[in-house]
Amino acid sequence: MAIFCQSPFKPITALSLPKPHQPHKTQPCLVKCSKTHLVSTEPEPVFTSVRSFAPATVANLGPGFDFLGCAVDGLGDHVSARVDPSVHPGEVSISEISGDNAKKLSKNPLWNCAGIAAIEVMRRLGVRSVGLSLTLEKGLPLGSGLGSSAASAAAAAVAVNEIFGARLSTEELVLAGLKSEEKVSGYHADNVGPAIMGGFVLIRSYEPLELLSLKFPAEKELFFVLASPDFEAPTKKMRAALPAEIGMPHHVWNSSQAGALVAAVLQGDVEGLGRALSSDKIVEPRRAPLIPGMEAVKRAAIEAGAFGCTISGAGPTAVAVTDDEARGRAIGERMVGAFMVEGKLRAEAVVRRLDRVGARLVSSIPR
């Protein structure tokens, strides 16, 4: 059974890149995940069943390879969890997977992103006397560069936590989701972090894991134009294309652009955000030629008025940014056209806002 997740992270050596709800504030908020906390007393279920949602994510954001990402509104996965007497106590089963390409995903919880995260939450809660059954509704295409595996993991982590009274903290949920990413996708939190936390997230450190929530001003408009072509860009292949070493000039350039991107997010400067987003000189130049038409798509987006454009995650989705929704639709049309003309690929484009909430409970049935 094929598993559509990202391949294990292989850090760049020499001058390398790092290993991989609230009111608006201009300062970043630190989430420090240095210790594993286990609930000492086994919790009782407070709900018979729950349904949760986790959003799509855009990782890297140009120069922020494996340490920057954000959540996108209106796209994502749902997970339903219910207390199931037919499931062995302390265990998780996956009863159904629906959505596009659902048959390509394993129902074995040990090999499914949602199942792995759910099991890790159960372990952290110390649940030994209750079994759960999960239903996964895939709203994201597989291998699209929109954080499909992270959305499944985040939604499952939140669902299981909520069914037992939401006893785990945000950082523990991130660690549970990261456990899933680590096993089937690679140890990187630039998708699962924003999928759970919402907004923009900076991974400050991996050992120990520390994440910074970057607050984009609520009064500012920001739209993502996501153009997804009918093309598979396997993460293993896309990571294999990365350079083994980088030179000092490119290291300095990308570092300065990543810093500029963070400043633009905190200031609500969409134009500055776009310029930084488009500035990667290390990863995008290696990956863009592997996606037919990507370089032309980027040019078309900027010519149509986008402030910037880059590859979303490992691709093949291209992401552009603007501060006007109508302009975003026009930009999307130009991007789709460029994929067809230059890449001979059919594509679809959507315009979405920033998701500021992250994974959340959608509905529940009390016991």
Side-chain angles (χ1 to χ4, degrees):
M1 185 73 70
I3 300 174
F4 284 76
C5 295
Q6 295 177 313
S7 61
F9 171 71
K10 296 180 181 178
I12 298 172
T13 57
L15 296 172
S16 62
L17 297 175
K19 180 183 176 184
H21 349 336
Q22 303 174 11
H24 164 63
K25 297 179 181 179
T26 57
Q27 296 82 14
C29 175
L30 175 65
V31 175
K32 192 170 184 178
C33 315
S34 57
K35 295 182 180 180
T36 297
H37 175 264
L38 301 179
V39 176
S40 58
T41 303
E42 180 176 356
E44 294 286 335
V46 298
F47 297 111
T48 300
S49 66
V50 300
R51 186 167 182 257
S52 63
F53 170 82
T57 49
V58 173
N60 301 338
L61 295 168
F65 177 71
D66 273 6
F67 65 89
L68 282 171
C70 68
V72 179
D73 185 46
L75 301 170
D77 288 358
H78 286 86
V79 168
S80 297
R82 64 182 178 89
V83 175
D84 190 342
S86 68
V87 178
H88 192 276
E91 295 184 359
V92 171
S93 74
I94 299 177
S95 59
E96 183 182 353
I97 303 175
S98 61
D100 291 341
N101 296 308
K103 293 182 179 180
K104 294 184 178 181
L105 296 174
S106 175
K107 287 186 179 179
N108 184 338
L110 298 177
W111 292 100
N112 182 285
C113 302
I116 296 167
I119 291 169
E120 178 63 13
V121 171
M122 295 270 279
R123 186 189 73 82
R124 288 176 173 273
L125 289 171
V127 176
R128 295 175 295 276
S129 60
V130 176
L132 297 181
S133 178
L134 303 183
T135 297
L136 171 60
E137 304 166 49
K138 289 298 298 179
L140 292 175
L142 307 177
S144 61
L146 293 173
S148 178
S149 63
S152 296
V158 166
V160 175
N161 188 45
E162 290 289 343
I163 212 167
F164 291 102
R167 298 185 65 175
L168 296 186
S169 64
T170 298
E171 56 265 33
E172 289 173 303
L173 292 176
V174 172
L175 284 169
L178 188 55
K179 190 76 172 180
S180 171
E181 293 282 82
E182 178 183 17
K183 187 167 184 178
V184 300
S185 174
Y187 196 81
H188 51 88
D190 51 344
N191 287 117
V192 74
I196 288 175
M197 299 166 62
F200 287 89
V201 174
L202 164 69
I203 293 81
R204 176 177 176 178
S205 166
Y206 276 91
E207 296 179 2
L209 181 66
E210 295 183 16
L211 302 101
L212 287 165
S213 178
L214 308 175
K215 302 301 182 183
F216 187 85
E219 69 275 12
K220 298 285 188 176
E221 289 282 22
L222 171 61
F223 294 94
F224 298 93
V225 186
L226 303 166
S228 300
D230 185 13
F231 180 78
E232 289 189 12
T235 303
K236 184 176 181 180
K237 178 180 179 181
M238 301 305 279
R239 283 189 178 267
L242 301 182
E245 296 183 352
I246 57 174
M248 180 65 79
H250 284 173
H251 165 68
V252 172
W253 172 263
N254 265 43
S255 296
S256 67
Q257 297 308 303
L261 193 150
V262 170
V265 169
L266 296 177
Q267 295 168 1
D269 176 8
V270 183
E271 186 172 355
L273 192 162
R275 287 199 304 271
L277 185 98
S278 294
S279 65
D280 175 29
K281 289 187 177 181
I282 297 173
V283 177
E284 184 186 313
R286 295 297 188 98
R287 287 179 166 175
L290 302 179
I291 304 172
M294 179 59 73
E295 294 170 344
V297 169
K298 180 173 181 175
R299 288 195 304 271
I302 294 173
E303 289 171 1
F307 294 132
C309 179
T310 190
I311 302 169
S312 178
T317 295
V319 55
V321 293
T322 181
D323 58 2
D324 182 86
E325 187 172 11
R327 186 184 303 123
R329 289 193 291 270
I331 293 167
E333 291 177 3
R334 291 285 298 277
M335 294 169 75
V336 167
F339 264 128
M340 176 57 72
V341 172
E342 299 295 333
K344 303 300 185 288
L345 296 175
R346 289 188 174 87
E348 294 182 355
V350 295
V351 182
R352 293 289 185 267
R353 284 186 165 88
L354 179 71
D355 184 303
R356 299 173 183 269
V357 179
R360 60 268 200 183
L361 185 67
V362 174
S363 62
S364 60
I365 300 176
R367 296 196 79 186

